[in-house]
Amino acid sequence: MSHIDDELVKRIHRDLQDDFDEELELELEDRDHGVMASDAPAGDGLERKRYFRELFRLQSELVKLQDWVQHTGHKVVILFEGRDAAGKGGVIKRITQRLNPRVCRVAALPAPNDRERTQWYFQRYVSHLPAAGEIVLFDRSWYNRAGVERVMGFCTDEQYEEFFRSAPEFERMLQRSGIQLIKYWFSISDDEQRVRFLGRIHDPLKQWKLSPMDLESRRRWEEYTKAKEVMLERTHIPESPWWVVPADDKKRARLNCISHLLSQMPYREVPHADVELPPRERREDYIRHPVPQNLIVPEVY
C-alpha cells in the first residue's frame, strides 16, 4: 500500500470514529463527560474530551435558548445548505439532540411531486414556517433551485432567474412578519468530500446516504461551485446574510456553528418554578393484575 493510500485509509477510519462518537453522544449526559477515557484526536487536532465538554456546554445553552424562544414567542428559521457530505445533518442532529421536538423541529422536504411542481415555488416551504415560540431547521431549503435544480437541469433559465428576483423579497417578507432567518452554508474541500463519499461506500450502515444524485454531484463539482458562488452573491442581503461554516473538520464545524447560532439571538435564562414530585396515591382496593405472558417481548438479550 502506498503512502497516499495509507493516509486515505486513516482518514476514513477517523470518519468512522466520528460515527462512533455520535452514538456515544446520545448515551452521555452533561454531567458524565468526565467518563471520556481517551484524549485521542477527534479529527484534525481537537481532543475528544474537549469536543464533548464544549458540545455539552453548548447544548445546555441551546436548552436555555429554547426556553427563551417559547417564553418570548420568538420565531426562528435556520437554513442549512452545502455540498453533499458537508456535515449539515450532523450539526442539525447536535442542535436538536436535547431539545423538545414540539419547539424545535426539522423540515427535510423530499423532491416535489407533480402537484407541487405547479405551485408557486415557495409555497410548499411556507407550510413549514414556525408559529410563535418555535424553531424550524431546514435541511436544505428553497435554495435547491439555486443549486441542485440549476446544475441538474431541473428548472428552466426563466425559473432560475425568477428565483433570484423572488428569494430576497420572500426573505424580507419573512423578516417583516417577525421570523428571524439565519442561513448557513457548509463548505468542504474537494478532497474531503471524496474521503467522506468513500467512507459511505465502504460502510454498510452509511450506504443509504449515497444516492445517484450524490454521486452525480461529485462528478459535477465545478458546476456546483459556480452555482454556489452565484447564489451567495445574489442572495446575501442585509436582512438575511449568508454565514459560511468551514466544515473539513466536522467536530469543529459543529461547535463553531452552534456557538455562532447562539450569538445571533439575545436569549437569556428563563426562571422556572421549582418542580416537586407529588406523592403517589395508594388505594387499598387496587390490585395490579399480571401481564399475560403471551404479550411480553421475549428476552433474547
Side-chain angles (χ1 to χ4, degrees), residues 245-261:
V245 182
D248 273 5
D249 184 323
K250 285 192 280 189
K251 285 184 167 63
R252 290 185 189 277
R254 293 167 194 158
L255 299 182
N256 288 331
C257 182
I258 296 172
S259 176
H260 182 269
L261 172 62

Side-chain angles (χ1 to χ4, degrees), residues 8 11-12 14-16 18-19 43-44 83-90 186-203 206-207 209-210 218 245-254:
L8 179 60
R11 290 176 65 182
I12 293 174
R14 284 200 296 268
D15 201 45
L16 294 174
D18 183 74
D19 291 331
D44 294 330
R83 296 184 188 273
D84 297 310
K88 302 179 296 297
F186 278 68
S187 178
I188 59 170
S189 64
D190 184 349
D191 184 51
E192 182 60 26
Q193 188 190 53
R194 171 174 170 266
V195 170
R196 293 183 189 179
F197 273 10
L198 287 173
R200 292 181 179 184
I201 288 171
H202 295 291
D203 183 353
K206 295 170 70 176
Q207 286 177 0
K209 293 185 175 183
L210 273 179
R218 177 65 192 160
V245 182
D248 273 5
D249 184 323
K250 285 192 280 189
K251 285 184 167 63
R252 290 185 189 277
R254 293 167 194 158

Side-chain angles (χ1 to χ4, degrees), residues 8-25:
L8 179 60
V9 169
K10 288 180 180 178
R11 290 176 65 182
I12 293 174
H13 283 171
R14 284 200 296 268
D15 201 45
L16 294 174
Q17 175 69 56
D18 183 74
D19 291 331
F20 169 77
D21 283 351
E22 183 174 303
E23 299 304 318
L24 191 57
E25 288 166 24

Side-chain angles (χ1 to χ4, degrees), residues 75 77 126 129 142 169-181:
K75 296 179 284 188
V77 168
V126 169
L129 295 176
W142 45 88
E169 288 306 314
F170 175 65
E171 292 173 9
R172 291 186 182 105
M173 288 171 58
L174 297 183
Q175 296 281 12
R176 290 197 297 270
S177 74
I179 295 175
Q180 181 176 3
L181 177 62

Side-chain angles (χ1 to χ4, degrees), residues 98-111:
R98 303 177 191 279
L99 300 185
N100 184 344
R102 294 182 179 84
V103 177
C104 181
R105 54 188 168 85
V106 179
L109 278 62

